Amino acid sequence: MTDAPHPLAIAEVRLTPVLVADPPLLNTQGVHQPYTPRLIIELVTEAGVTGLGETYGDTGYLDLARPLAAALTGRRVTDLNGLPALAAEVCGGSPAVTGDSPVATDADAVHAGGLRGARTAEKLRLSVLSGFEVACLDAWGKATGLPVHALLGGKVRDRVEYGGYLFYRWAGHPGGRGERDDWGAALDPAGVVAQAHRFADTYGFTSFKLKGGVFEPAHEVATIRALAAAFPGRPLRLDPNGAWSVATSLKVADELADLLEYLEDPAGGTARMAEVAAGTRLPLATNMCVTTFDEIAEAFRRRAVQVVLCDHHYWGGLRATRELAAVCRTFGVGLSMHSNTHLGISLAAMTQVAATVPDLHHACDTHYPWQTEDVLTERIAIRDGKVAVGDAPGLGVTLDRDRLAALHHRWLADDGGLRDRDDAAAMRHAQPDWTVPAVPRW
Amino acid sequence: MTDAPHPLAIAEVRLTPVLVADPPLLNTQGVHQPYTPRLIIELVTEAGVTGLGETYGDTGYLDLARPLAAALTGRRVTDLNGLPALAAEVCGGSPAVTGDSPVATDADAVHAGGLRGARTAEKLRLSVLSGFEVACLDAWGKATGLPVHALLGGKVRDRVEYGGYLFYRWAGHPGGRGERDDWGAALDPAGVVAQAHRFADTYGFTSFKLKGGVFEPAHEVATIRALAAAFPGRPLRLDPNGAWSVATSLKVADELADLLEYLEDPAGGTARMAEVAAGTRLPLATNMCVTTFDEIAEAFRRRAVQVVLCDHHYWGGLRATRELAAVCRTFGVGLSMHSNTHLGISLAAMTQVAATVPDLHHACDTHYPWQTEDVLTERIAIRDGKVAVGDAPGLGVTLDRDRLAALHHRWLADDGGLRDRDDAAAMRHAQPDWTVPAVPRW
């Protein structure tokens, strides 16, 4: 082995966990913590090109990322098909997320998996390796002068549309924790409509998703009605994260059938979703009952979902996202994109892959406007509700090392349990007896 | 537009139809003609890099290839996701294959589509664009020093296994047409076993597929039994190209259940295949009832097939093959690879993509050993039944211009109707009253 290292071989991988400011956004489990963990991945090739990736930053993910990073050294950034087997080999022993069962059942999907469906050891590995896959693609693109979308077969559109992601929220975190913002509270229809107007004015969003499951369904139905009145004809969605019974889901579906583009995860699990789907003409979308390739066959056979909301983080990367798109296209199921709290690296990755999928018929979700902090030298612009798909090499974004260092220092300094996202714990700062509600909640 | 052209932009596309010697191999429609048409594609980038592709060369394919070649000029070799839409735009008007209905039904699938299932305008376009896709990948790989498998995410194996493809055959073409070879006739069990021994000795094949549908089923069953006796424990397959009724299929399946790895297309169409599959524990494979993404949902729902034999030519290319692999993996359906008469460029392409698919659990098909002529400077070696997956840039093969010119001159000189493959016409040289048998034939 006297050959010089290949220029596309990985010489070094740097992992930097950060804590990012997050507003007090409400969901059925509780409220966002003042800061949320993310992991920033830098992967340096033998030729000195650096690729960037981003994924979940909770402790369990970091525990998997470290051995995977070590195992990547010496491999080439093009060697992506082998990543799942490598991850299984080096991270396979431990489900690794403390306190979660490695395989969730229908009944505990909401509890164990947070808001992202069943939690399995494989899905956790995929959530980690996807960050490395993105970093590999970024490095490969930079090394060859090609945008990531070209490495995925080329863009089929020049702009990717995102929807305005509306939340019931407080004006600030309990006890004055975290960073302040000037959005104010949004706890009723008028507050949410005001939020939507500001989103539309600032970013040009023309479709809106409301995170539901927070208040009793009648309140959330009233909020959708208010949005429909304020934005007539615009695509609207409601996502209670599986908090409803089948009967409640059907009642809401009936009430909102003419106003919603789709209803997202009204009830938890494939069986309940199939029952709801059979009783309404409203399409059902999901990022909870179909979140892995293993869950597809049954859900599609039972016609439980009409739109899969893909998240490249836990589906296993940008190439897996394209494979999911092929599966959905083959079975006549729609595809759009899910979002958790994320920074600009992930938004760039989402945009690059979304640009390559011909059958993307709905605006994608993104939390990005809620993240006032980022690790990039320049924030990604959303105009007319869309992100431009650039042709700069790789992801087309540049890391700001000072900002990265500042957010990492916040992570280093944390001793308040913020290194693991826990929306229920955050809620207990306001309601000390709060526990994650049993489902169905209504 | 004063920018210099991008180095990966396509400056020129050359299309060279050829006629390639083909032995008198028998199938249910007739016999291979003495020469078969193929299309060789050369695509030259602005930087002067040439990419090679190969696909079907019948007149109808050439009629689609010419406008597509013209439309490709100026586009980049990385711009692959847009190819289907481009092909639909520039070739969309005409189904273009004379004498075939653009959409075949179950009943005429064998007639109209030859031996490759339903024939649709879209499938014809895909069969043409796949040749261009391969040429783009070859050029892109050569331009960046990467093998094609790296552009597909990297190989997961260093050698791809192929099976010995056995045929009932005559010693020579009727009337002394075509090229001669020294294989002799193989029309009974002993002849086919001798053929298999020579294949095993020469290429190291350890699994065998017999093209059936030629003789009455009892004769073909006897041939499989003779192969099983001569090669105990080796994977064997039988493919009558949909020539049998459901009852005959079930009878043969029962007789050969312990000897076959799988039974390929015993009966025509999804409905009949589903009926056969329900009545046997033998897995059914297909390259006839599932040949497009549109055919998957129903076939999988009815559990009509257990193994899809992919052919990158008509599925739409190497990237579509990977998408098909993802669909099959998701639904627990096996994947292997189909072959029609092809040359070394296609064998290289098949090998590159097969190397990237983790879930490839059967030896692939290839006609290549029957093709004594090629357009490469060096034939691709099959050793131990396997083709090595090289790391040379692109496909790793080199065009021999003299050989290409010679085979093209044969095509130019043809006035005997060989520019369109027609196994029934070839059969009429031996049996003047031959027509394609109605199905089910037995």
Side-chain angles (χ1 to χ4, degrees):
Chain A
M1 297 296 285
T2 55
D3 292 349
H6 193 279
L8 290 176
I10 298 167
E12 184 189 351
V13 182
R14 286 193 292 269
L15 303 178
T16 310
V18 297
L19 280 179
V20 186
D22 212 10
L25 310 178
L26 294 159
N27 59 48
T28 199
Q29 297 215 328
V31 64
H32 286 206
Q33 288 176 305
Y35 302 99
T36 200
R38 296 294 286 176
L39 173 61
I40 305 302
I41 298 168
E42 294 170 86
L43 179 157
V44 187
T45 68
E46 289 286 352
V49 173
T50 299
L52 300 176
E54 175 191 343
T55 190
Y56 298 102
D58 307 68
T59 309
Y61 297 90
L62 297 183
D63 289 344
L64 299 185
R66 291 190 190 100
L68 188 53
L72 281 174
T73 307
R75 292 170 65 100
R76 297 188 190 173
V77 296
T78 55
D79 196 3
L80 301 171
N81 293 325
L83 283 183
L86 181 72
E89 187 188 325
V90 301
C91 321
S94 66
V97 173
T98 316
D100 284 330
S101 60
V103 179
T105 64
D106 252 11
D108 63 3
V110 173
H111 293 275
L115 306 165
R116 303 191 296 273
R119 201 158 197 177
T120 67
E122 186 190 12
K123 188 169 167 187
L124 290 174
R125 288 197 303 269
L126 292 176
S127 302
V128 173
L129 82 77
S130 63
F132 292 99
E133 188 234 26
V134 168
C136 284
L137 290 168
D138 186 36
W140 180 5
K142 284 175 178 163
T144 54
L146 293 171
V148 166
H149 69 72
L151 301 177
L152 302 173
K155 62 184 177 184
V156 295
R157 59 183 63 84
D158 291 320
R159 300 199 297 172
V160 170
E161 186 175 2
Y162 290 87
Y165 200 159
L166 310 176
F167 282 84
Y168 295 113
R169 58 163 289 170
W170 297 325
H173 289 281
R177 299 163 79 219
E179 312 296 317
R180 295 180 175 282
D181 68 29
D182 61 356
W183 283 82
L187 296 165
D188 57 15
V192 172
V193 167
Q195 190 184 95
H197 275 300
R198 180 164 165 184
F199 260 13
D201 293 345
T202 311
Y203 300 103
F205 292 124
T206 59
S207 64
F208 299 98
K209 162 177 172 172
L210 174 64
K211 175 63 80 183
V214 176
F215 296 110
E216 62 177 29
H219 185 86
E220 301 189 348
V221 167
T223 304
I224 292 292
R225 289 194 197 284
L227 284 168
F231 299 90
R234 296 292 173 81
L236 301 175
R237 312 149 183 183
L238 175 58
D239 171 20
N241 279 120
W244 301 339
S245 68
V246 170
T248 300
S249 300
L250 287 170
K251 182 167 183 289
V252 173
D254 186 53
E255 292 171 352
L256 297 181
D258 295 328
L259 299 183
L260 292 181
E261 175 187 19
Y262 54 67
L263 184 58
E264 181 177 337
D265 288 311
T270 296
R272 286 185 284 260
M273 285 287 278
E275 214 178 325
V276 177
T280 179
R281 61 184 166 85
L282 200 53
L284 301 190
T286 186
N287 75 292
M288 293 179 66
C289 96
V290 178
T291 61
T292 69
F293 284 94
D294 286 345
E295 292 167 324
I296 288 177
E298 188 193 350
F300 284 15
R301 194 151 40 226
R302 299 174 74 166
R303 303 185 190 281
V305 300
Q306 286 68 56
V307 180
V308 174
L309 301 174
C310 183
D311 185 315
H312 77 267
H313 300 92
Y314 55 75
W315 280 90
L318 306 189
R319 297 160 62 261
T321 297
R322 287 185 45 80
E323 292 184 343
L324 173 61
V327 174
C328 287
R329 185 168 61 243
T330 301
F331 284 82
V333 170
L335 185 82
S336 189
M337 209 172 273
H338 165 260
S339 155
N340 267 128
T341 301
H342 64 83
L343 300 175
I345 297 171
S346 279
L347 182 60
M350 292 157 67
T351 302
Q352 292 282 330
V353 69
T356 72
V357 175
D359 312 86
L360 200 73
H361 299 306
H362 308 277
C364 299
D365 288 350
T366 178
H367 280 67
Y368 192 65
W370 292 114
Q371 264 51 67
T372 52
E373 300 177 335
D374 203 345
V375 295
L376 302 181
T377 54
E378 196 175 345
R379 276 186 76 80
I380 294 174
I382 301 176
R383 295 195 183 92
D384 302 325
K386 292 174 178 144
V387 173
V389 185
D391 289 323
L395 293 172
V397 298
T398 305
L399 192 64
D400 183 321
R401 302 204 156 277
D402 292 338
R403 294 184 190 197
L404 179 69
L407 301 186
H408 179 54
H409 285 144
R410 186 190 283 151
W411 182 88
L412 286 172
D414 175 63
D415 57 1
L418 295 172
R419 289 187 184 184
D420 290 287
R421 179 173 164 178
D422 187 339
D423 293 7
M427 192 59 134
R428 282 191 285 272
H429 284 268
Q431 299 186 35
D433 61 346
W434 178 265
T435 56
V436 172
V439 287
R441 186 170 171 188
W442 288 287
Chain B
M1 296 297 287
T2 55
D3 291 348
H6 193 278
L8 290 176
I10 298 168
E12 185 189 351
V13 181
R14 287 192 291 269
L15 303 179
T16 311
V18 297
L19 279 179
V20 187
D22 213 9
L25 309 179
L26 295 159
N27 60 48
T28 199
Q29 299 215 327
V31 63
H32 286 206
Q33 289 176 305
Y35 302 99
T36 200
R38 297 293 285 176
L39 173 62
I40 306 302
I41 298 168
E42 294 169 86
L43 179 156
V44 188
T45 68
E46 290 286 352
V49 173
T50 300
L52 300 176
E54 175 192 344
T55 190
Y56 298 102
D58 306 70
T59 310
Y61 296 90
L62 297 182
D63 289 345
L64 298 186
R66 291 189 190 100
L68 188 53
L72 281 173
T73 307
R75 291 170 65 101
R76 298 189 191 173
V77 296
T78 55
D79 196 3
L80 301 171
N81 293 325
L83 283 182
L86 180 72
E89 185 188 326
V90 302
C91 321
S94 66
V97 173
T98 316
D100 285 329
S101 59
V103 178
T105 64
D106 250 12
D108 64 2
V110 172
H111 293 276
L115 305 166
R116 303 191 297 273
R119 203 157 196 175
T120 66
E122 186 190 13
K123 189 170 167 186
L124 291 174
R125 288 197 303 269
L126 291 177
S127 302
V128 173
L129 82 77
S130 63
F132 292 100
E133 188 234 27
V134 168
C136 284
L137 290 168
D138 186 36
W140 179 5
K142 285 174 176 163
T144 55
L146 293 172
V148 166
H149 69 72
L151 301 178
L152 302 173
K155 62 184 177 185
V156 295
R157 59 181 65 83
D158 291 321
R159 301 198 296 171
V160 170
E161 187 175 2
Y162 290 88
Y165 200 158
L166 309 176
F167 282 85
Y168 295 112
R169 58 163 288 170
W170 296 325
H173 289 281
R177 299 164 79 217
E179 312 296 317
R180 295 182 176 280
D181 68 29
D182 62 356
W183 283 83
L187 296 165
D188 56 15
V192 172
V193 167
Q195 188 185 96
H197 274 300
R198 180 164 166 184
F199 260 14
D201 293 345
T202 310
Y203 300 103
F205 291 124
T206 58
S207 64
F208 298 98
K209 163 178 171 171
L210 174 64
K211 175 63 79 182
V214 177
F215 298 110
E216 61 177 28
H219 186 86
E220 301 190 347
V221 167
T223 305
I224 291 293
R225 287 194 198 284
L227 284 168
F231 298 90
R234 297 292 173 78
L236 301 176
R237 310 148 184 185
L238 176 57
D239 171 19
N241 279 121
W244 300 340
S245 67
V246 170
T248 300
S249 300
L250 287 171
K251 183 167 181 290
V252 174
D254 186 52
E255 291 171 352
L256 297 181
D258 294 329
L259 300 183
L260 292 181
E261 178 187 16
Y262 55 67
L263 185 58
E264 182 178 337
D265 288 310
T270 296
R272 285 186 284 260
M273 286 286 279
E275 214 178 325
V276 177
T280 178
R281 61 183 166 86
L282 200 53
L284 301 189
T286 187
N287 75 292
M288 294 178 67
C289 96
V290 178
T291 62
T292 68
F293 284 95
D294 286 345
E295 292 167 323
I296 287 177
E298 188 193 351
F300 284 14
R301 194 149 38 225
R302 298 174 74 166
R303 302 185 190 281
V305 299
Q306 287 69 55
V307 180
V308 174
L309 301 175
C310 183
D311 185 316
H312 77 267
H313 299 91
Y314 55 74
W315 280 90
L318 306 189
R319 296 160 64 260
T321 297
R322 286 185 46 79
E323 291 184 344
L324 173 61
V327 174
C328 287
R329 185 168 59 243
T330 302
F331 284 82
V333 171
L335 185 82
S336 189
M337 210 171 271
H338 164 260
S339 157
N340 267 128
T341 301
H342 64 84
L343 299 176
I345 296 171
S346 279
L347 182 60
M350 292 158 66
T351 301
Q352 291 282 330
V353 69
T356 71
V357 175
D359 312 86
L360 200 74
H361 299 307
H362 308 278
C364 299
D365 289 350
T366 179
H367 280 66
Y368 192 64
W370 292 115
Q371 264 50 66
T372 52
E373 300 177 336
D374 204 345
V375 295
L376 302 182
T377 54
E378 195 176 345
R379 277 185 76 79
I380 294 174
I382 301 176
R383 295 195 183 93
D384 302 325
K386 293 174 176 144
V387 173
V389 184
D391 289 324
L395 294 171
V397 298
T398 305
L399 192 63
D400 183 321
R401 303 204 155 277
D402 293 337
R403 296 185 189 197
L404 179 70
L407 300 186
H408 180 53
H409 286 144
R410 186 189 283 150
W411 183 88
L412 287 172
D414 176 63
D415 56 1
L418 295 172
R419 290 188 185 183
D420 289 288
R421 178 174 165 177
D422 187 340
D423 294 6
M427 192 60 137
R428 283 191 285 273
H429 284 268
Q431 298 185 37
D433 62 345
W434 178 265
T435 55
V436 172
V439 288
R441 187 170 171 190
W442 288 288

